[in-house]
Structures are given as C-alpha cells and as structure tokens.
C-alpha cells in the first residue's frame, strides 16, 4: 500500500507566505543585529511568493534576486541563510566557492552543487513524509513483531452471508487473546529485552572518486541501481532485541508507505522553486580584472563555470533534470582584499542585491549571550543541568565575557561571535570537568569569577592567541 499525501501537507513555500516584517521577526529570535541583511533576504524570499502568484508566462521571466553579503567572519552571514532555509523548509546547501576549480583542472565540478542540493531535497521530502506516515508505520511494525512472536495468530475475517437474511458466521477467535496480551506487553515495553530474528536489508554501497573531464568528482554511485541483482534485494537475518528491531521495522514500513517516485518528483520541484545555495568565500575566487596569467586566470575560470548555474541551466541528476533558473543564490565573503567589482561583470549582474554586515561590538556580544532562543548561556546551563548542576550567569558576568571577547578580537584575529565559544569553553572548562561530582549544587558565574579565570590568559597576548 502506498500513501499519496495531499499537496497541502508538504507545501514547501509555506514560510514564503510570511511578510518581510514577519520573516525579520523570526530571524531576530536567533540573530542579533544585521538588520540590512535580514531585510534583504526577507524581501528576496517574499518575491518568490509574489512570483508564484503571477501568470505562468510572466512567472518564468522573473529571475530571483540573488544577494551578496559583505562582512567579516562570525557576524551572522551563514546563520541568516540557514535560518531562512529552515523557516521555509527549503533545500539548503552551503558550499565554499574556493573548493571549485575551472573545467579541465583537478577539483569539484560546479554542477555537483545542484546534484548535492537534489540529494538534500530528497532526504527532506522523505523525512517529512515519514513523519506523516509514522503512526501507520508503527502500527504495521507492531503487527509484524507480533507475527514473529506468535505466527498464525491474526484473527480471520468473518464469512460473508450467502444472501440477505443469512446470519453472519462468527469470527474465529484462535489465539487472539494471547496475541492481545503480547500486544499490551509490547506497548508497555515489557518485551524490549526479548530477542527475535528479523531480515535486515544491507544498504552499504561503495562510494569512490573518479576522474572526469570536469575534474575529480565524488560519486555516490548507486550500485544498487546499476546491479540490482547483486545489491538490490540482499538481506541478512539477524537476531536482536525487540527494542532495537522495532525502529528498523518502523523505517521499513514507512518506506513501503511512501511513493518514492513522488518523493523524487516533489524534491526536484522543491529544488527548482525554493532551493537556496549559500556560496561562501566568493571573494576567494575574485581576481584582478584582465589578468593574463597566474591564479587570477583560474579564479576567473571558476566564476565562468559558476555563471550558467546562477544564470539558469538544466543539470542532470540521478532523480531527473533540474532547472536552476529560480534557485536563490546567496553569496558571502569578507572582501578584505578583493571587492565585488573584481568579479566578472556577468556574475556581478546576477547578484543585484548587496548588503554589508557590520562588525560586532561589545553590546552586540551582550545581546548574543542573552537574547537569542539558542543563546550560548542557555545552552551551557542546559548541558550542566543533565548532571544535576544549576548554572546561572549574572548580568555583570555576561558584560565581562562580552568585554573579554571584544578585547581578544581586537588584539588578535576578529572572528566575530565565534570568539564567544572559545571564551566560554575556557571559562567553564573546570566546571564542566567537575560537574559529575557536583550534583545538587548551584553555581553562579559573576564578574569576579570571569576575571579570575580569564584575566591572565588575555593579558598574555601570545597565550591568548593560542588558547582563545
């Protein structure tokens, strides 16, 4: 039996119905500041929804408003793009532009961007449909386990009457009472430690790299499709605990309930209509204009290879042909040495929106430690609560942590908010190590504690470069 899900269940553009103000408000829950960048991505996302409302002939003519984010590391460029993709349930791929080389040189082929995005989309759609079919898959798995424990115990259906007025034959009970009792024990987890034998499909297929005219391309070769007789249906009988076997059987049942062709079709549509590619370090492939030799030639070659993907082309993937005309590309780079105008003009024209992200200040660090739903202070408190230790950060401690982060960024390399991770790891190193012996205790981090732990490290510039 295959379940065909209604289109409304998995509609990928639901987040795009949000207004730009609502999108910015959602991003504000996780990212501090950078309002210009948030407004730009919110408008680009809303324009996708606006395009969908137009007549088909005009809809195809409107190109996506791709974005270049300019700013130092650690200020939120990647997080903005990632949160945007989660908000819309869109296939999202982050890729470093510097990993590619132009056609004919050893390196990754730019078309692998689209193939990787298609893989992500298939997994996204499959997971969504699996969640939708979870309840039915669990019921089917329950029946399979009971069939293994007690074969031939399913009740037989009642006999049909020969003609109107004939009494219905009684249902044959058989060992249904025993089956019902086992079912209750199974639901209560009383049988989790009992062992059963099940057939487990072997799904390990070789993956390797090959040299192609486009360079070295990592091939997730689907040997199952190439040699179905050898790999397609192999399974191995294994003995395992019911508690472990149940999840394997649930996954198998979920696969049976999902139309895989529909998954591939929907994944391709989602890539084409709502895919987001984050091209990081694009400044690393920007070279001096009209360079005749050297690495600048290769960088320009990568840009020219990227151009068809960004402009709009058709790429062959294992799931079908994918058109890239309406994929949203968000490029980012620090542009310390190069500048956006160093990109080839054709590529510049495909990124009409430019936004500059601001370097983070001490006040921004204070807000980052306090405000987001996933604030670092909250994460560390939650981690230590698993050991029975209550961890609290005083306002003066948060301010002091922010001051140290700003100081180290100024004295060494400015890595933005990522500095807070290294500062907090250093600050809580001893506490994290001893927490398992401190159950029931409450620890309050104040400014004096921060000073005592971090002052000497920050004072020694060489040590702070190494440790922080």
């Amino acid at each position: 039996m295959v379940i065909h899900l209604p289109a409304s269940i998995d509609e990928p553009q639901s987040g795009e119905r949000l207004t730009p103000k609502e999108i910015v408000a959602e991003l504000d829950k996780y990212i501090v500041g950078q309002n210009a960048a948030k407004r730009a991505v919110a408008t680009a996302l809303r324009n996708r929804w606006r395009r969908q409302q137009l007549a088909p002939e005009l809809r195809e003519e409107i190109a996506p408003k791709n974005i270049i984010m300019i700013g130092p590391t650690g200020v939120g460029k990647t997080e903005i793009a990632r949160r945007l993709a989660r908000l819309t349930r869109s296939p999202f791929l982050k890729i470093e532009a510097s990993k590619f080389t132009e056609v004919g040189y050893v390196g990754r082929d730019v078309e692998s961007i689209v193939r990787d995005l298609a893989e992500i989309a298939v997994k996204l759609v499959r997971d969504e449909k699996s969640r939708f079919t979870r309840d039915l898959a669990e019921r089917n798995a329950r029946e399979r386990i009971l069939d293994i424990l007690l074969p031939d115990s399913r009740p037989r259906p009642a006999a049909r009457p020969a003609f109107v007025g004939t009494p219905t034959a009684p249902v044959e009970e058989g060992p249904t009472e025993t089956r019902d009792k086992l079912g209750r024990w199974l639901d209560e987890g009383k049988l989790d430690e009992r062992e059963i034998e099940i057939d487990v499909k072997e799904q390990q297929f070789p993956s390797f790299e090959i040299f192609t005219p486009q360079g070295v391309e990592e091939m997730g070769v689907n040997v199952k499709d190439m040699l179905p007789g050898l790999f397609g249906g192999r399974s191995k009988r294994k003995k395992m605990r019911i508690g472990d076997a149940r999840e394997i059987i649930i996954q198998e049942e979920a696969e049976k309930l999902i139309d895989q062709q529909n998954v591939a079709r929907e994944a391709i549509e989602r890539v084409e209509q709502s895919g987001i590619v984050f091209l990081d370090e694009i400044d690393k492939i920007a070279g001096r204009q009209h360079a005749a030799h050297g690495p600048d030639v290769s960088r320009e070659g990568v840009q020219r290879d990227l151009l068809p993907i960004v402009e709009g082309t058709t790429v062959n993937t294992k799931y079908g042909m994918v058109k890239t005309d309406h994929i949203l590309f968000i490029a980012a780079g620090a542009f310390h040495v190069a500048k956006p105008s160093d990109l080839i003009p054709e590529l510049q024209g495909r990124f009409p929106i430019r936004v500059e992200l601001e370097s983070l200040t001490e006040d921004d660090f204070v807000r980052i430690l306090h405000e987001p739903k996933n604030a670092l202070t909250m994460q560390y408190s939650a981690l230590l609560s698993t050991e029975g230790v209550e961890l609290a950060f005083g306002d003066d401690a948060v301010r002091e942590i922010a001051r140290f982060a700003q100081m180290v960024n100024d004295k060494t390399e400015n890595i933005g908010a990522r500095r807070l991770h290294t500062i907090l790891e250093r600050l809580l190193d001893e506490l994290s190590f001893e927490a398992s012996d401190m159950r029931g205790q409450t620890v309050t981090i104040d400014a004096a504690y921060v000073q005592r732990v971090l002052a000497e490290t920050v004072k020694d510039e060489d040590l702070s470069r190494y440790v922080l």
Side-chain angles (χ1 to χ4, degrees), residues 67-70 77-78 278-283 330-335:
I67 302 166
I68 289 184
M69 293 184 183
I70 305 165
K77 301 187 296 292
T78 305
F278 185 78
L279 279 170
D280 202 7
E281 296 186 349
I282 196 169
D283 55 320
I330 302 176
F335 288 97

Side-chain angles (χ1 to χ4, degrees), residues 116-380:
D116 290 346
L117 198 61
E119 292 286 351
I120 291 167
V122 166
K123 183 179 185 305
L124 191 68
V125 173
R126 187 181 289 132
D127 288 348
E128 288 177 0
K129 293 184 183 297
S130 294
R131 286 195 295 272
F132 182 75
T133 61
R134 177 80 185 188
D135 289 344
L136 182 54
E138 286 179 350
R139 290 198 296 271
N140 291 349
R142 179 181 186 272
E143 296 303 314
R144 274 183 58 182
I145 293 172
L146 290 176
D147 287 342
I148 295 171
L149 293 172
L150 200 66
D152 301 324
S153 61
R154 292 200 185 199
R156 297 177 185 175
R160 294 183 179 179
F163 54 86
V164 177
T166 300
T168 302
V171 177
E172 295 184 24
E173 290 294 335
T176 54
E177 290 183 3
T178 305
R179 186 184 180 93
D180 290 342
K181 185 186 294 184
L182 283 174
R184 288 194 300 272
W185 289 352
L186 186 62
D187 296 338
E188 294 168 2
K190 294 180 179 179
L191 302 179
D192 282 357
E193 297 302 319
R194 184 166 175 176
E195 289 191 340
I196 57 173
E197 286 190 352
I198 62 170
D199 293 324
V200 180
K201 290 184 179 179
E202 295 182 341
Q203 296 180 335
Q204 296 181 350
F205 307 110
S207 178
F208 48 89
E209 291 185 344
I210 63 170
F211 285 85
T212 71
Q214 289 74 32
V216 177
E217 184 62 36
E218 182 181 343
M219 287 194 64
V221 178
N222 196 336
V223 182
K224 179 180 71 174
D225 293 340
M226 295 168 58
L227 303 169
L230 181 60
F231 289 101
R234 291 186 61 178
S235 61
K236 186 176 182 180
R237 196 158 188 82
K238 290 186 178 180
K239 181 179 289 188
M240 61 177 64
R241 295 170 55 255
I242 287 179
D244 298 328
R246 186 200 294 259
E247 192 58 37
I248 295 175
I249 297 174
I250 289 173
Q251 291 175 4
E252 289 180 359
E253 291 297 322
E255 288 289 320
K256 295 177 184 176
L257 294 170
I258 295 172
D259 184 342
Q260 299 300 331
Q261 289 185 338
N262 187 46
V263 167
R265 186 165 52 249
E266 187 174 327
I268 289 175
E269 182 180 356
R270 194 173 294 196
V271 168
E272 293 180 339
Q273 301 302 324
S274 67
I276 298 176
V277 173
F278 185 78
L279 279 170
D280 202 7
E281 296 186 349
I282 196 169
D283 55 320
K284 301 289 179 61
I285 62 168
R288 295 183 301 275
Q289 289 294 311
H290 311 299
H293 56 81
D296 289 325
V297 175
S298 180
R299 293 184 187 121
E300 184 172 322
V302 176
Q303 294 179 58
R304 295 200 179 279
D305 288 345
L306 281 170
L307 187 59
I309 304 293
V310 180
E311 278 187 330
T313 188
T314 302
V315 176
N316 186 22
T317 74
K318 62 192 284 188
Y319 302 104
M321 306 299 287
V322 176
K323 294 174 66 178
T324 68
D325 301 61
H326 300 291
I327 293 175
L328 177 64
F329 288 85
I330 302 176
F335 288 97
H336 290 314
V337 178
K339 49 189 182 296
S341 59
D342 289 332
L343 296 169
I344 60 175
E346 299 92 330
L347 196 60
Q348 289 182 51
R350 279 295 172 175
F351 288 88
I353 302 175
R354 314 280 173 85
V355 289
E356 189 168 353
L357 284 82
E358 304 164 357
S359 294
L360 299 174
T361 64
E362 182 179 319
D363 290 336
D364 290 330
F365 287 141
V366 171
R367 293 181 60 197
I368 289 169
L369 290 168
H370 261 316
E371 295 180 11
K373 292 180 69 175
N374 60 339
L376 284 175
T377 50
M378 188 185 306
Q379 292 179 29
Y380 280 97

Side-chain angles (χ1 to χ4, degrees), residues 413-428:
E413 186 74 19
N414 186 355
I415 60 172
R418 293 188 178 94
R419 185 69 66 190
L420 293 172
H421 289 269
T422 60
I423 292 282
L424 281 168
E425 279 296 322
R426 181 69 176 174
L427 179 67
L428 301 175

Side-chain angles (χ1 to χ4, degrees), residues 402-413:
R403 187 177 71 83
F404 274 117
Q406 183 66 41
M407 188 189 310
V408 177
N409 273 350
D410 290 342
K411 291 170 63 177
T412 60
E413 186 74 19

Side-chain angles (χ1 to χ4, degrees), residues 86-98:
R86 288 187 186 179
L87 185 62
T88 59
R89 293 183 294 167
S90 300
F92 173 80
L93 175 67
K94 178 190 173 184
I95 197 79
E96 293 175 2
S98 55

